[in-house]
Amino acid sequence: MKCLIVIPAYNEAASIGRVLESLAALGRGFEVLVVNDGSRDDTVSEVRSHGSATVLDLACNLGIGGAVQTGFHYALRHDVDVLVKFDGDGQHLAQEIDKLLEPLLAGRSDVVIGSRFLVDGGFKSTFGRRLGIRLLALVNSLFLGYRIHDNTSGFRAYNRKAIEFLAEHYPAIDYPEPEEVVLLVRNGFRVTETAVVMAPRQGGSSSISLGRSVHYMAKVLLAIMMVSLRPVVDKHRTKVPKVMALETNCDEK
Amino acid sequence: MIFDRLLIVAALSSLAFLLLVLELIRRRRLDEGYALLWLVCGLLFLGFSIWRKALDYLAGIVGIYYPPAALLLLLIIGLFMVMIQFSVVITRQRHQIKSLTQRLALLEEEQKQVFKVSLPDDGR
């Protein structure tokens, strides 16, 4: 099984070195890809000096969604079986990755979200944020038919089927996480949550500052409503030959 | 009577406008981020054309004797805001295209150096 860790990074020079160290310390031989989203600090040279990760240096800032989607395209080209999305600010803990992989490898889900709210302990974000996250969980549960508690968590693992789908359909916007959940479930993917512990960020600043929270919520709620109004992606119309060829390859192994 | 008819037309057209914007988002012809300002403008316009007292109050504040004219003022302010947003976005895109073009040229040059491949001569 080939596992790729994708770290979208925007101005994470202060923390990315320690994140890469913790991933290397796992000793699992996971390939690490940092997608630099037009950082204005030394993120790229920090990663290069560490030497353990591949860097894709985007020419301009695309927003988190565009950066993440680049990682999915890379995964498609390099025949990755499992992709793990990981933050560069130190919030996500390397030793928690296996908890995300377990339901994927057991074949119980296609996408696993690491959730802060299913277990006591660890960092839970500020009060205002938690309020917003609860509202998103409520709205999303109306569309999903079941509850995902941590819709803004970026700590996620995807199987090959989800990688193929998201390389083409990932919401390439700067507020993708909650919409991504609805998009996946609506298109028949099994999305589940698993309890993980998170840490407070080590450096940099969140891409969602407090003053912009209302703007963020308005965009996200609108996006969720719209994605649930869109027709299900017709799998028989999009790139069928490629997907089928890849599936046969997997079977041969 | 004429007054009421104007407000009905305003309400109906802003409703049609809102539906158009929503349908464009649904078809992915418009990103939510860019549509938000349109939606806010449309909702404000709709609100003021339905809620007469608010319109009278607004007209009173800015010193307009004929309240429906305040709707036009609202419309112009909204249009200005959206157009400024457009200018900002266009400027940002111009910067992005510029740096993309530069990066591509630098990359092509580096690739030539690395692989010593002679790219097809374009006859210049």
Side-chain angles (χ1 to χ4, degrees):
Chain A
M1 181 203 75
K2 191 171 171 186
C3 177
L4 175 75
I5 313 244
V6 172
I7 307 178
Y10 179 63
N11 294 344
E12 307 282 18
S15 52
I16 193 96
R18 264 171 294 175
V19 170
L20 292 177
E21 255 159 54
S22 70
L23 287 169
L26 273 183
R28 297 283 301 275
F30 293 148
E31 192 185 340
V32 180
L33 173 75
V34 175
V35 184
N36 176 49
D37 192 15
S39 296
R40 296 205 185 106
D41 63 2
D42 301 327
T43 301
V44 171
S45 54
E46 277 288 322
V47 177
R48 292 221 163 104
S49 72
H50 202 266
S52 66
T54 312
V55 186
L56 290 182
D57 191 13
L58 298 179
C60 353
N61 178 275
L62 292 183
I64 174 92
V68 168
Q69 192 180 29
T70 314
F72 280 99
H73 281 301
Y74 181 93
L76 260 195
R77 289 192 181 194
H78 291 79
D79 295 324
V80 167
D81 302 301
V82 174
L83 185 152
V84 175
K85 197 147 64 74
F86 201 80
D87 273 6
D89 61 8
Q91 276 193 88
H92 301 160
L93 303 171
Q95 65 266 25
E96 304 284 293
I97 288 177
D98 275 320
K99 293 184 189 165
L100 258 60
L101 295 183
E102 199 269 324
L104 275 195
L105 301 181
R108 287 200 305 273
S109 16
D110 301 309
V111 176
V112 183
I113 301 173
S115 171
R116 285 162 277 190
F117 305 116
L118 296 180
V119 69
D120 289 335
F123 182 67
K124 307 282 190 196
S125 192
T126 58
F127 177 76
R129 291 261 178 89
R130 282 211 308 272
L131 215 65
I133 290 168
R134 285 191 87 125
L135 177 62
L136 285 175
L138 184 75
V139 173
N140 264 9
S141 68
L142 294 177
F143 292 113
L144 303 180
Y146 67 100
R147 183 163 284 221
I148 294 286
H149 297 79
D150 202 350
N151 286 280
T152 59
S153 162
F155 192 23
R156 298 179 180 185
Y158 308 82
N159 68 8
R160 179 73 195 178
K161 205 174 102 191
I163 293 172
E164 283 165 5
F165 176 78
L166 289 174
E168 196 173 347
H169 300 288
Y170 198 85
I173 43 179
D174 54 355
Y175 40 91
E177 290 90 1
E179 177 183 348
E180 181 196 315
V181 175
V182 180
L183 177 72
L184 283 165
V185 172
R186 210 174 140 66
N187 284 281
F189 289 89
R190 294 165 300 165
V191 180
T192 57
E193 268 184 306
T194 192
V196 295
V197 176
M198 287 194 195
R201 57 175 48 255
Q202 288 172 3
S205 57
S206 170
S207 48
I208 309 160
S209 77
L210 212 63
R212 292 181 179 166
S213 297
V214 174
H215 189 210
Y216 171 82
M217 286 300 286
K219 282 193 289 191
V220 168
L221 290 175
L222 187 60
I224 290 169
M225 270 187 277
M226 285 301 155
V227 78
S228 56
L229 286 176
R230 280 179 199 135
V232 171
V233 175
D234 189 351
K235 283 170 197 132
H236 301 287
R237 253 180 51 199
T238 48
K239 290 188 177 175
V240 170
K242 196 177 171 189
V243 173
M244 277 169 58
L246 289 164
E247 274 171 1
T248 15
N249 279 345
C250 290
D251 288 342
E252 278 163 14
K253 281 176 211 164
Chain B
M1 193 58 207
I2 294 168
F3 188 98
D4 285 340
R5 201 186 294 171
L6 181 67
L7 290 184
I8 289 168
V9 169
L12 287 180
S13 43
S14 46
L15 209 59
F17 172 76
L18 284 173
L19 287 176
L20 173 72
V21 173
L22 287 174
E23 179 59 16
L24 284 174
I25 306 174
R26 198 183 71 84
R27 291 190 185 176
R28 290 175 204 276
R29 303 272 293 274
L30 196 54
D31 276 351
E32 292 88 1
Y34 294 139
L36 219 54
L37 197 50
W38 282 123
L39 288 179
V40 170
C41 288
L43 282 174
L44 268 178
F45 200 72
L46 180 65
F48 277 111
S49 41
I50 292 174
W51 192 17
R52 274 279 285 280
K53 273 193 179 147
L55 186 65
D56 290 345
Y57 183 70
L58 179 78
I61 290 176
V62 290
I64 295 176
Y65 292 109
Y66 182 58
L71 274 182
L72 288 179
L73 181 70
L74 215 63
L75 195 67
I76 292 169
I77 292 173
L79 283 177
F80 261 95
M81 274 164 52
V82 172
M83 281 161 79
I84 287 170
Q85 191 198 21
F86 282 172
S87 308
V88 170
V89 171
I90 291 170
T91 305
R92 189 171 63 222
Q93 287 183 340
R94 208 186 68 83
H95 289 310
Q96 288 177 335
I97 292 169
K98 183 202 69 186
S99 64
L100 264 179
T101 313
Q102 292 167 339
R103 283 277 291 267
L104 185 67
L106 292 167
L107 200 66
E108 275 180 352
E109 173 58 23
E110 273 172 34
Q111 220 182 11
K112 258 192 204 171
Q113 297 292 334
V114 172
F115 296 109
K116 298 270 187 258
V117 175
S118 54
L119 294 177
D121 199 344
D122 58 1
R124 275 186 291 188

